[in-house]
Amino acid sequence: MSASDGWFIAVAGYAILLAWPLSTVILVWFAVRYGGTHRAKVVNKALASGGGKPGYFWIIVPALNEEAVVANTVKAALGLRGPGGTLTRVLVVDDGSDDRTPEVLAAIDHDRLHVMRRELPHARQGKGEALNAAYRYIAHRSEQEGIPANRVVLGIIDGDGQGSDNILVEVGRLMGDTKVGAVQVQVRIRNRNKLLGAVQDLEFGAIVDACQNMRDALNTVGLGGNGQFSRLSTLISLGTAPWSNCLVEDMELGLRMHLQGVSIRYTSRASVTQQAVVDIKRLTRQRTRWAQGNLQCARYLGSLFASGNIARTSLVEILHYLVSPWINAIVAVLLSLSGTVGAIGLMIGHPLPILPTWWALGASVGIWAAVTTFPGLVWVLVHRAKRADESMSRMLLAALAYPAFLLLGLTATYRALGRQLSGKQAWAKTERLVEEPLALQTA
C-alpha cells in the first residue's frame, strides 16, 4: 500500500466517523426547530377546519402474561378523555395468558372495558394477529352501531403503557386533517431511576423524538409498537389483517400506509410511557428482535421506490432508516479491524501507512472515543431543554453510558442477521416490573 493510498483510506475513514456527529447536529436542529406538529402551512389550515376530527376512540391493549402491569394500564386508559370530553372504550386482547392476567382483568368492573380472550391454537400467533382480532371486532361493532369508520380511531397501548392526559385530544386535533390516517405519539420511559432506564429515555425522549420530528417534516413518520393511533377507515383499506406477523409489525404497518399514500403524523405534545428493560440480557434480546424485524421490512424497498405516492426525498429518508443500522454495523467492524491490524503491525515492526506510530494509533483511538461520546452529551442538553423532568447528573451518566449502549445495539444487529439467516422467528416475552397500583376512575 502506498502512502497516498494510506492517506486516502485515512481521510475516508475519518469522514465516515465524523458523519455521525454531523448527523447529530442536523437532528438536533429538528429537535429544537420542530415541536412535532409543524409540517406545513397547508396542513395547519386543514387542521383548523377539523373536518376529519374523530368522535370515537378505542384503546387496544394486547396482553400476554401481563399480570404485573395490565391493571394500571387499563385503569389509566379508561381515564383518558377525547375532544369535547369524549370517553374512550378499552379492549384488552388476552392472547392466551397462563398467569393471573384473566383474574386481574375480571376484577376491574367497568362498563367501557371489553376483554377478548383468545385460546390456543388461535392465541400466541404474534402481536399482529392479536391486534387484527381486536380490529375486526371493533370494525364489526362500529358497523352495527352505524358509526362511520373515518370517525373511529384505534390506539395501541402496550401492556405496560400509560398515555398522557391529553393524548386523545392531541390525536383528535391532528386528525382534523382528513388526509391524516394515523398518528404516532412520543414514547417516554417511566423507570428511568435506573441507569439503563435513563439511557433508554435519552434514546426515546430526545433522539427518537428528533428523528420523528424530521420524518414528520418529510412526511415519512414511522409507527411504533406503543402509542400508535389509526383511523378505522385507514385500517379497513388495508384488508382484514392490517398487522402482519413481522417482528416489528408496527413498522411494517407504517410502510404499507405510506405505499397507499396515507399521511402519518407525529406529535411530541402527547406521550405514552412504558417500562424500560433494565436487564442487559433481556435488552439485547429485545433489540435483536427489533433489528430482525427491520431486516424483514427491507423487502418493501422495491415497492416503495416503484410507488408514485412517495416523494423522492421521503424515499431517501425511509431507505436511510432501514439501512443505516447495517451500515453502522459494517463501519464499526471496519474501524475495529483497522485498529487491531494497526496495533499488530506496530508490534511486529510493519506499521500501516495510516498508523505509522503508537502515537498515531493512540490519537485515532482518542478521536474515536470523542466522536462516540459527543452525541450523547449533546442529546442530554436537548433532553434537558425539552423535558426538564430528570436530573442533569443522571442524564450525564446516561450520556457517558450511551456508547456502550450503542455497542449493545451493534451486537443485536449481528445476532439478528444470524437469526434471520437461520430462519429463527420465535421470541420470549419481555418481562415486566411490578408498580404501585393506580386508582380506577369510574366516570
Side-chain angles (χ1 to χ4, degrees):
M1 179 185 295
S2 66
S4 60
D5 291 336
W7 279 111
F8 175 79
I9 294 174
V11 171
Y14 282 123
I16 294 173
L17 188 61
L18 293 175
W20 183 21
L22 178 61
S23 65
T24 297
V25 172
I26 295 173
L27 284 175
V28 166
W29 184 86
F30 275 96
V32 174
R33 175 66 178 81
Y34 292 93
T37 53
H38 305 288
R39 183 183 296 164
K41 292 182 179 180
V42 65
V43 173
N44 290 332
K45 289 181 180 179
L47 291 178
S49 69
K53 188 169 292 185
Y56 303 86
F57 291 87
W58 283 85
I59 299 297
I60 302 174
V61 181
L64 172 58
N65 293 340
E66 299 281 17
E67 64 175 344
V69 293
V70 72
N72 279 355
T73 298
V74 169
K75 292 174 183 178
L78 287 169
L80 297 176
R81 300 289 186 272
T86 306
L87 297 177
T88 184
R89 288 185 277 188
V90 178
L91 174 59
V92 180
V93 186
D94 181 358
D95 202 28
S97 298
D98 53 18
D99 64 352
R100 292 188 62 256
T101 295
E103 289 84 354
V104 171
L105 293 171
I108 304 175
D109 183 16
H110 204 289
D111 60 356
R112 288 188 282 110
L113 172 61
H114 306 259
V115 178
M116 175 187 292
R117 170 74 180 182
R118 286 165 57 83
E119 302 286 356
L120 294 172
H122 302 292
R124 302 196 179 198
Q125 299 299 312
K127 181 180 177 183
E129 284 303 311
L131 295 177
N132 286 330
Y135 148 71
R136 289 189 289 266
Y137 171 85
I138 294 170
H140 178 68
R141 180 152 182 166
S142 298
E143 184 179 14
Q144 284 186 322
E145 295 175 357
I147 302 173
N150 66 332
R151 296 204 65 211
V152 180
V153 170
L154 281 61
I156 313 301
I157 293 183
D158 285 344
D160 64 334
Q162 296 176 25
S164 59
D165 292 340
N166 69 329
I167 191 170
L168 300 185
V169 174
E170 177 64 9
V171 169
R173 189 187 74 83
L174 289 174
M175 287 190 171
D177 181 359
T178 56
K179 295 180 181 179
V180 175
V183 173
Q184 175 65 44
V185 305
Q186 184 184 44
V187 176
R188 295 292 307 278
I189 298 297
R190 283 199 302 279
N191 55 329
R192 52 183 183 268
N193 58 314
K194 299 179 181 294
L195 178 58
L196 270 179
V199 175
Q200 288 168 70
D201 193 59
L202 181 65
E203 175 190 34
F204 285 110
I207 305 170
V208 173
D209 176 64
C211 290
Q212 288 283 50
N213 279 324
M214 181 179 71
R215 300 184 74 185
D216 190 66
L218 296 174
N219 194 19
T220 60
V221 171
L223 293 177
N226 203 4
Q228 57 171 289
F229 291 80
S230 303
R231 285 191 201 274
L232 177 57
S233 56
T234 300
L235 296 174
I236 289 175
S237 70
L238 295 173
T240 58
W243 288 275
S244 72
N245 278 328
C246 174
L247 292 173
V248 283
E249 76 293 325
D250 48 295
M251 178 190 291
E252 184 175 45
L253 176 63
L255 291 175
R256 292 180 64 197
M257 286 184 179
H258 282 303
L259 281 171
Q260 288 205 349
V262 174
S263 177
I264 305 175
R265 297 300 309 275
Y266 171 76
T267 177
S268 54
R269 294 179 180 176
S271 64
V272 61
T273 64
Q274 64 186 36
Q275 289 185 350
V277 182
V278 292
D279 176 84
I280 291 291
K281 183 177 180 180
R282 292 170 184 160
L283 181 60
T284 304
R285 185 173 63 199
Q286 178 199 65
R287 297 311 168 102
T288 301
R289 175 172 60 84
W290 292 0
Q292 188 174 357
N294 185 289
L295 262 180
Q296 293 172 345
C297 286
R299 68 178 182 268
Y300 284 94
L301 287 175
S303 299
L304 288 167
F305 277 99
S307 172
N309 293 326
I310 305 175
R312 184 171 299 178
T313 54
S314 300
L315 282 172
V316 171
E317 199 282 327
I318 291 175
L319 178 63
H320 172 265
Y321 181 76
L322 291 174
V323 175
S324 61
W326 306 97
I327 295 177
N328 292 338
I330 293 172
V331 170
V333 170
L334 292 177
L335 289 173
S336 299
L337 284 176
S338 63
T340 302
V341 172
I344 293 174
L346 289 169
M347 286 188 290
I348 64 176
H350 294 284
L352 295 177
I354 56 174
L355 297 172
T357 65
W358 286 104
W359 185 92
L361 179 61
S364 296
V365 172
I367 292 173
W368 176 85
V371 167
T372 54
T373 303
F374 170 78
L377 296 173
V378 173
W379 287 121
V380 165
L381 297 177
V382 174
H383 190 282
R384 183 69 175 178
K386 298 194 70 173
R387 311 298 162 223
D389 55 4
E390 193 53 74
S391 68
M392 178 63 83
S393 58
R394 177 173 291 141
M395 296 314 295
L396 283 174
L397 186 60
L400 294 176
Y402 186 61
F405 184 74
L406 293 174
L407 183 61
L408 180 148
L410 291 174
T411 301
T413 298
Y414 285 109
R415 288 187 63 203
L417 181 60
R419 287 182 60 88
Q420 186 68 13
L421 292 176
S422 62
K424 294 181 180 179
Q425 301 291 324
W427 286 93
K429 177 177 168 50
T430 302
E431 295 185 19
R432 309 297 192 191
L433 304 174
V434 177
E435 299 177 329
E436 289 294 323
L438 297 177
L440 176 63
Q441 299 185 32
T442 57

Short mmCIF file of all heavy atoms in Angstrom, two decimals, residues 280-327:
data_model
loop_
_atom_site.label_atom_id
_atom_site.label_comp_id
_atom_site.label_asym_id
_atom_site.label_seq_id
_atom_site.Cartn_x
_atom_site.Cartn_y
_atom_site.Cartn_z
N ILE A 280 -29.48 -6.45 31.02
CA ILE A 280 -28.68 -6.42 29.79
C ILE A 280 -29.06 -7.55 28.84
O ILE A 280 -29.23 -7.33 27.63
CB ILE A 280 -27.17 -6.50 30.13
CG1 ILE A 280 -26.69 -5.23 30.81
CG2 ILE A 280 -26.35 -6.73 28.86
CD1 ILE A 280 -26.68 -4.02 29.91
N LYS A 281 -29.21 -8.73 29.36
CA LYS A 281 -29.52 -9.88 28.51
C LYS A 281 -30.87 -9.71 27.83
O LYS A 281 -31.02 -9.94 26.62
CB LYS A 281 -29.51 -11.16 29.35
CG LYS A 281 -29.76 -12.43 28.54
CD LYS A 281 -29.67 -13.67 29.43
CE LYS A 281 -29.92 -14.94 28.62
NZ LYS A 281 -29.84 -16.15 29.48
N ARG A 282 -31.87 -9.27 28.60
CA ARG A 282 -33.20 -9.08 28.02
C ARG A 282 -33.24 -7.89 27.07
O ARG A 282 -33.96 -7.92 26.06
CB ARG A 282 -34.23 -8.90 29.15
CG ARG A 282 -34.43 -10.15 29.98
CD ARG A 282 -35.26 -9.87 31.22
NE ARG A 282 -35.36 -11.06 32.05
CZ ARG A 282 -35.68 -11.04 33.34
NH1 ARG A 282 -35.92 -9.88 33.94
NH2 ARG A 282 -35.76 -12.16 34.03
N LEU A 283 -32.46 -6.86 27.39
CA LEU A 283 -32.41 -5.71 26.49
C LEU A 283 -31.79 -6.09 25.15
O LEU A 283 -32.27 -5.68 24.09
CB LEU A 283 -31.61 -4.58 27.14
CG LEU A 283 -31.49 -3.28 26.34
CD1 LEU A 283 -32.86 -2.68 26.05
CD2 LEU A 283 -30.61 -2.27 27.07
N THR A 284 -30.73 -6.88 25.19
CA THR A 284 -30.11 -7.35 23.95
C THR A 284 -31.08 -8.18 23.13
O THR A 284 -31.15 -8.06 21.91
CB THR A 284 -28.85 -8.18 24.26
OG1 THR A 284 -27.94 -7.41 25.06
CG2 THR A 284 -28.14 -8.60 22.98
N ARG A 285 -31.85 -9.01 23.82
CA ARG A 285 -32.85 -9.83 23.14
C ARG A 285 -33.91 -8.95 22.48
O ARG A 285 -34.32 -9.19 21.35
CB ARG A 285 -33.50 -10.79 24.14
CG ARG A 285 -34.48 -11.78 23.51
CD ARG A 285 -34.95 -12.78 24.56
NE ARG A 285 -35.67 -12.12 25.64
CZ ARG A 285 -35.87 -12.65 26.84
NH1 ARG A 285 -35.35 -13.83 27.14
NH2 ARG A 285 -36.56 -12.01 27.76
N GLN A 286 -34.35 -7.91 23.20
CA GLN A 286 -35.35 -7.00 22.63
C GLN A 286 -34.82 -6.30 21.39
O GLN A 286 -35.49 -6.24 20.35
CB GLN A 286 -35.75 -5.95 23.67
CG GLN A 286 -36.75 -4.93 23.17
CD GLN A 286 -36.78 -3.66 24.03
OE1 GLN A 286 -35.79 -2.92 24.08
NE2 GLN A 286 -37.88 -3.42 24.71
N ARG A 287 -33.59 -5.78 21.47
CA ARG A 287 -33.03 -5.04 20.33
C ARG A 287 -32.72 -5.98 19.17
O ARG A 287 -32.75 -5.57 18.01
CB ARG A 287 -31.79 -4.27 20.78
CG ARG A 287 -32.09 -3.21 21.85
CD ARG A 287 -33.26 -2.35 21.44
NE ARG A 287 -33.79 -1.51 22.49
CZ ARG A 287 -33.55 -0.21 22.61
NH1 ARG A 287 -32.77 0.39 21.74
NH2 ARG A 287 -34.11 0.48 23.60
N THR A 288 -32.40 -7.23 19.46
CA THR A 288 -32.18 -8.21 18.39
C THR A 288 -33.48 -8.44 17.64
O THR A 288 -33.50 -8.53 16.40
CB THR A 288 -31.66 -9.54 18.97
OG1 THR A 288 -30.44 -9.31 19.67
CG2 THR A 288 -31.42 -10.55 17.86
N ARG A 289 -34.59 -8.54 18.37
CA ARG A 289 -35.90 -8.72 17.73
C ARG A 289 -36.22 -7.52 16.85
O ARG A 289 -36.70 -7.67 15.72
CB ARG A 289 -36.98 -8.91 18.78
CG ARG A 289 -38.39 -8.99 18.19
CD ARG A 289 -39.41 -9.37 19.26
NE ARG A 289 -39.46 -8.41 20.34
CZ ARG A 289 -40.16 -7.28 20.33
NH1 ARG A 289 -40.87 -6.96 19.25
NH2 ARG A 289 -40.16 -6.47 21.37
N TRP A 290 -35.95 -6.31 17.35
CA TRP A 290 -36.21 -5.11 16.55
C TRP A 290 -35.37 -5.10 15.29
O TRP A 290 -35.85 -4.76 14.20
CB TRP A 290 -35.93 -3.86 17.38
CG TRP A 290 -36.89 -3.63 18.50
CD1 TRP A 290 -37.96 -4.41 18.85
CD2 TRP A 290 -36.87 -2.55 19.43
NE1 TRP A 290 -38.60 -3.89 19.94
CE2 TRP A 290 -37.96 -2.75 20.32
CE3 TRP A 290 -36.05 -1.46 19.63
CZ2 TRP A 290 -38.24 -1.87 21.38
CZ3 TRP A 290 -36.33 -0.58 20.66
CH2 TRP A 290 -37.41 -0.79 21.52
N ALA A 291 -34.10 -5.47 15.42
CA ALA A 291 -33.20 -5.46 14.26
C ALA A 291 -33.62 -6.51 13.24
O ALA A 291 -33.56 -6.28 12.02
CB ALA A 291 -31.76 -5.70 14.71
N GLN A 292 -34.06 -7.68 13.72
CA GLN A 292 -34.52 -8.71 12.79
C GLN A 292 -35.78 -8.26 12.07
O GLN A 292 -35.95 -8.51 10.87
CB GLN A 292 -34.77 -10.02 13.53
CG GLN A 292 -35.06 -11.20 12.60
CD GLN A 292 -35.18 -12.51 13.33
OE1 GLN A 292 -34.98 -12.59 14.55
NE2 GLN A 292 -35.51 -13.57 12.61
N GLY A 293 -36.67 -7.58 12.79
CA GLY A 293 -37.86 -7.04 12.14
C GLY A 293 -37.51 -5.99 11.10
O GLY A 293 -38.14 -5.90 10.04
N ASN A 294 -36.48 -5.19 11.39
CA ASN A 294 -36.00 -4.20 10.43
C ASN A 294 -35.54 -4.90 9.15
O ASN A 294 -35.82 -4.44 8.03
CB ASN A 294 -34.86 -3.41 11.06
CG ASN A 294 -34.37 -2.28 10.20
OD1 ASN A 294 -33.75 -2.52 9.17
ND2 ASN A 294 -34.60 -1.05 10.61
N LEU A 295 -34.84 -6.01 9.29
CA LEU A 295 -34.40 -6.80 8.14
C LEU A 295 -35.60 -7.29 7.33
O LEU A 295 -35.60 -7.25 6.09
CB LEU A 295 -33.58 -8.00 8.61
CG LEU A 295 -32.06 -7.89 8.58
CD1 LEU A 295 -31.45 -9.19 9.09
CD2 LEU A 295 -31.56 -7.60 7.17
N GLN A 296 -36.62 -7.76 8.04
CA GLN A 296 -37.79 -8.29 7.35
C GLN A 296 -38.50 -7.20 6.54
O GLN A 296 -39.06 -7.48 5.48
CB GLN A 296 -38.75 -8.90 8.38
CG GLN A 296 -38.21 -10.15 9.05
CD GLN A 296 -39.08 -10.63 10.20
OE1 GLN A 296 -39.95 -9.91 10.69
NE2 GLN A 296 -38.88 -11.86 10.63
N CYS A 297 -38.48 -5.97 7.05
CA CYS A 297 -39.16 -4.87 6.36
C CYS A 297 -38.40 -4.39 5.13
O CYS A 297 -38.96 -3.63 4.32
CB CYS A 297 -39.37 -3.70 7.33
SG CYS A 297 -40.69 -3.98 8.54
N ALA A 298 -37.16 -4.81 4.98
CA ALA A 298 -36.37 -4.38 3.82
C ALA A 298 -36.99 -4.85 2.51
O ALA A 298 -36.71 -4.29 1.44
CB ALA A 298 -34.94 -4.89 3.94
N ARG A 299 -37.86 -5.87 2.58
CA ARG A 299 -38.49 -6.37 1.35
C ARG A 299 -39.43 -5.34 0.72
O ARG A 299 -39.85 -5.51 -0.44
CB ARG A 299 -39.25 -7.66 1.64
CG ARG A 299 -40.47 -7.51 2.53
CD ARG A 299 -41.17 -8.86 2.70
NE ARG A 299 -42.37 -8.78 3.51
CZ ARG A 299 -42.41 -8.97 4.81
NH1 ARG A 299 -41.28 -9.23 5.47
NH2 ARG A 299 -43.54 -8.91 5.48
N TYR A 300 -39.76 -4.30 1.46
CA TYR A 300 -40.66 -3.27 0.93
C TYR A 300 -39.92 -2.20 0.14
O TYR A 300 -40.56 -1.32 -0.45
CB TYR A 300 -41.43 -2.59 2.07
CG TYR A 300 -42.56 -3.45 2.61
CD1 TYR A 300 -42.36 -4.27 3.71
CD2 TYR A 300 -43.82 -3.43 2.01
CE1 TYR A 300 -43.38 -5.06 4.21
CE2 TYR A 300 -44.85 -4.21 2.50
CZ TYR A 300 -44.62 -5.03 3.59
OH TYR A 300 -45.64 -5.81 4.08
N LEU A 301 -38.60 -2.24 0.13
CA LEU A 301 -37.84 -1.18 -0.53
C LEU A 301 -38.18 -1.06 -2.02
O LEU A 301 -38.36 0.03 -2.54
CB LEU A 301 -36.34 -1.42 -0.34
CG LEU A 301 -35.80 -1.14 1.07
CD1 LEU A 301 -34.32 -1.52 1.15
CD2 LEU A 301 -36.00 0.32 1.45
N GLY A 302 -38.28 -2.20 -2.69
CA GLY A 302 -38.61 -2.17 -4.11
C GLY A 302 -39.97 -1.54 -4.37
O GLY A 302 -40.12 -0.71 -5.26
N SER A 303 -40.97 -1.93 -3.57
CA SER A 303 -42.31 -1.37 -3.73
C SER A 303 -42.34 0.12 -3.43
O SER A 303 -43.04 0.89 -4.08
CB SER A 303 -43.29 -2.11 -2.80
OG SER A 303 -43.35 -3.48 -3.11
N LEU A 304 -41.55 0.54 -2.43
CA LEU A 304 -41.51 1.95 -2.07
C LEU A 304 -40.94 2.79 -3.21
O LEU A 304 -41.46 3.87 -3.53
CB LEU A 304 -40.68 2.15 -0.80
CG LEU A 304 -41.32 1.66 0.51
CD1 LEU A 304 -40.29 1.62 1.62
CD2 LEU A 304 -42.48 2.57 0.90
N PHE A 305 -39.88 2.29 -3.85
CA PHE A 305 -39.28 3.03 -4.95
C PHE A 305 -40.17 3.02 -6.19
O PHE A 305 -40.15 3.96 -6.98
CB PHE A 305 -37.90 2.46 -5.30
CG PHE A 305 -36.80 2.98 -4.40
CD1 PHE A 305 -36.35 2.24 -3.34
CD2 PHE A 305 -36.24 4.22 -4.63
CE1 PHE A 305 -35.34 2.72 -2.50
CE2 PHE A 305 -35.25 4.72 -3.80
CZ PHE A 305 -34.80 3.96 -2.73
N ALA A 306 -40.96 1.95 -6.35
CA ALA A 306 -41.84 1.87 -7.51
C ALA A 306 -43.13 2.65 -7.32
O ALA A 306 -43.82 2.97 -8.29
CB ALA A 306 -42.17 0.40 -7.81
N SER A 307 -43.44 2.97 -6.07
CA SER A 307 -44.69 3.66 -5.78
C SER A 307 -44.61 5.12 -6.21
O SER A 307 -43.60 5.78 -6.09
CB SER A 307 -44.99 3.59 -4.27
OG SER A 307 -46.09 4.42 -3.94
N GLY A 308 -45.74 5.62 -6.69
CA GLY A 308 -45.80 7.04 -7.05
C GLY A 308 -46.37 7.90 -5.95
O GLY A 308 -46.58 9.09 -6.14
N ASN A 309 -46.63 7.28 -4.78
CA ASN A 309 -47.24 8.01 -3.67
C ASN A 309 -46.24 8.65 -2.73
O ASN A 309 -46.63 9.33 -1.79
CB ASN A 309 -48.14 7.06 -2.85
CG ASN A 309 -49.35 6.60 -3.64
OD1 ASN A 309 -49.88 7.35 -4.45
ND2 ASN A 309 -49.78 5.37 -3.41
N ILE A 310 -44.95 8.40 -2.97
CA ILE A 310 -43.92 8.87 -2.03
C ILE A 310 -42.91 9.73 -2.76
O ILE A 310 -42.37 9.33 -3.80
CB ILE A 310 -43.22 7.67 -1.35
CG1 ILE A 310 -44.25 6.76 -0.70
CG2 ILE A 310 -42.23 8.15 -0.31
CD1 ILE A 310 -43.65 5.49 -0.13
N ALA A 311 -42.63 10.90 -2.23
CA ALA A 311 -41.65 11.81 -2.83
C ALA A 311 -40.25 11.22 -2.75
O ALA A 311 -39.95 10.41 -1.87
CB ALA A 311 -41.71 13.17 -2.13
N ARG A 312 -39.39 11.68 -3.66
CA ARG A 312 -38.03 11.13 -3.71
C ARG A 312 -37.27 11.39 -2.42
O ARG A 312 -36.56 10.52 -1.92
CB ARG A 312 -37.28 11.73 -4.90
CG ARG A 312 -35.89 11.16 -5.11
CD ARG A 312 -35.30 11.64 -6.42
NE ARG A 312 -36.10 11.20 -7.56
CZ ARG A 312 -35.83 11.53 -8.82
NH1 ARG A 312 -34.78 12.28 -9.10
NH2 ARG A 312 -36.61 11.10 -9.80
N THR A 313 -37.41 12.60 -1.87
CA THR A 313 -36.72 12.90 -0.61
C THR A 313 -37.22 12.00 0.52
O THR A 313 -36.45 11.59 1.38
CB THR A 313 -36.94 14.36 -0.22
OG1 THR A 313 -38.35 14.65 -0.20
CG2 THR A 313 -36.25 15.29 -1.19
N SER A 314 -38.51 11.68 0.50
CA SER A 314 -39.07 10.80 1.52
C SER A 314 -38.53 9.39 1.36
O SER A 314 -38.24 8.71 2.35
CB SER A 314 -40.60 10.79 1.43
OG SER A 314 -41.12 12.09 1.62
N LEU A 315 -38.38 8.95 0.12
CA LEU A 315 -37.83 7.62 -0.13
C LEU A 315 -36.40 7.51 0.39
O LEU A 315 -36.02 6.49 0.96
CB LEU A 315 -37.85 7.31 -1.63
CG LEU A 315 -39.21 6.89 -2.21
CD1 LEU A 315 -39.12 6.82 -3.73
CD2 LEU A 315 -39.63 5.55 -1.65
N VAL A 316 -35.61 8.54 0.18
CA VAL A 316 -34.22 8.55 0.67
C VAL A 316 -34.19 8.41 2.18
O VAL A 316 -33.39 7.66 2.74
CB VAL A 316 -33.50 9.83 0.22
CG1 VAL A 316 -32.14 9.95 0.90
CG2 VAL A 316 -33.34 9.85 -1.30
N GLU A 317 -35.11 9.11 2.86
CA GLU A 317 -35.13 9.06 4.32
C GLU A 317 -35.55 7.68 4.81
O GLU A 317 -34.98 7.14 5.75
CB GLU A 317 -36.09 10.14 4.86
CG GLU A 317 -35.86 10.49 6.33
CD GLU A 317 -36.45 9.46 7.25
OE1 GLU A 317 -37.48 8.87 6.91
OE2 GLU A 317 -35.87 9.23 8.32
N ILE A 318 -36.56 7.08 4.15
CA ILE A 318 -37.00 5.73 4.54
C ILE A 318 -35.88 4.74 4.30
O ILE A 318 -35.64 3.84 5.12
CB ILE A 318 -38.26 5.34 3.74
CG1 ILE A 318 -39.46 6.19 4.20
CG2 ILE A 318 -38.58 3.87 3.93
CD1 ILE A 318 -40.72 5.95 3.39
N LEU A 319 -35.19 4.88 3.18
CA LEU A 319 -34.06 3.99 2.88
C LEU A 319 -32.99 4.12 3.95
O LEU A 319 -32.45 3.11 4.44
CB LEU A 319 -33.48 4.33 1.50
CG LEU A 319 -32.25 3.53 1.06
CD1 LEU A 319 -32.61 2.06 0.92
CD2 LEU A 319 -31.70 4.06 -0.25
N HIS A 320 -32.70 5.35 4.34
CA HIS A 320 -31.71 5.58 5.40
C HIS A 320 -32.15 4.91 6.70
O HIS A 320 -31.36 4.29 7.40
CB HIS A 320 -31.53 7.08 5.61
CG HIS A 320 -30.67 7.42 6.80
ND1 HIS A 320 -31.20 7.71 8.04
CD2 HIS A 320 -29.31 7.50 6.94
CE1 HIS A 320 -30.23 7.95 8.89
NE2 HIS A 320 -29.09 7.84 8.25
N TYR A 321 -33.44 5.03 7.01
CA TYR A 321 -33.97 4.46 8.26
C TYR A 321 -33.81 2.94 8.28
O TYR A 321 -33.47 2.35 9.31
CB TYR A 321 -35.44 4.85 8.40
CG TYR A 321 -36.10 4.34 9.65
CD1 TYR A 321 -35.85 4.94 10.88
CD2 TYR A 321 -36.98 3.27 9.61
CE1 TYR A 321 -36.46 4.48 12.04
CE2 TYR A 321 -37.60 2.81 10.75
CZ TYR A 321 -37.33 3.42 11.97
OH TYR A 321 -37.94 2.95 13.09
N LEU A 322 -34.05 2.29 7.14
CA LEU A 322 -33.99 0.83 7.08
C LEU A 322 -32.56 0.30 6.98
O LEU A 322 -32.25 -0.78 7.49
CB LEU A 322 -34.80 0.31 5.89
CG LEU A 322 -36.33 0.47 5.97
CD1 LEU A 322 -36.97 0.05 4.67
CD2 LEU A 322 -36.89 -0.36 7.13
N VAL A 323 -31.70 1.06 6.33
CA VAL A 323 -30.36 0.54 6.01
C VAL A 323 -29.28 1.01 6.99
O VAL A 323 -28.30 0.30 7.22
CB VAL A 323 -29.98 0.95 4.56
CG1 VAL A 323 -28.54 0.55 4.24
CG2 VAL A 323 -30.94 0.33 3.57
N SER A 324 -29.46 2.18 7.61
CA SER A 324 -28.40 2.76 8.43
C SER A 324 -27.90 1.85 9.56
O SER A 324 -26.69 1.84 9.84
CB SER A 324 -28.83 4.11 9.00
OG SER A 324 -29.98 3.98 9.81
N PRO A 325 -28.77 1.06 10.25
CA PRO A 325 -28.23 0.19 11.29
C PRO A 325 -27.19 -0.80 10.77
O PRO A 325 -26.21 -1.11 11.44
CB PRO A 325 -29.47 -0.54 11.82
CG PRO A 325 -30.60 0.36 11.50
CD PRO A 325 -30.24 0.99 10.20
N TRP A 326 -27.41 -1.26 9.54
CA TRP A 326 -26.47 -2.23 8.97
C TRP A 326 -25.20 -1.55 8.48
O TRP A 326 -24.11 -2.13 8.57
CB TRP A 326 -27.18 -2.99 7.84
CG TRP A 326 -28.46 -3.57 8.35
CD1 TRP A 326 -29.71 -3.04 8.25
CD2 TRP A 326 -28.59 -4.74 9.15
NE1 TRP A 326 -30.62 -3.82 8.92
CE2 TRP A 326 -29.96 -4.87 9.47
CE3 TRP A 326 -27.68 -5.70 9.60
CZ2 TRP A 326 -30.44 -5.93 10.24
CZ3 TRP A 326 -28.15 -6.75 10.37
CH2 TRP A 326 -29.51 -6.86 10.68
N ILE A 327 -25.32 -0.34 7.99
CA ILE A 327 -24.12 0.42 7.61
C ILE A 327 -23.28 0.71 8.85
O ILE A 327 -22.05 0.56 8.83
CB ILE A 327 -24.51 1.73 6.90
CG1 ILE A 327 -25.21 1.43 5.57
CG2 ILE A 327 -23.30 2.62 6.69
CD1 ILE A 327 -25.70 2.66 4.84
#
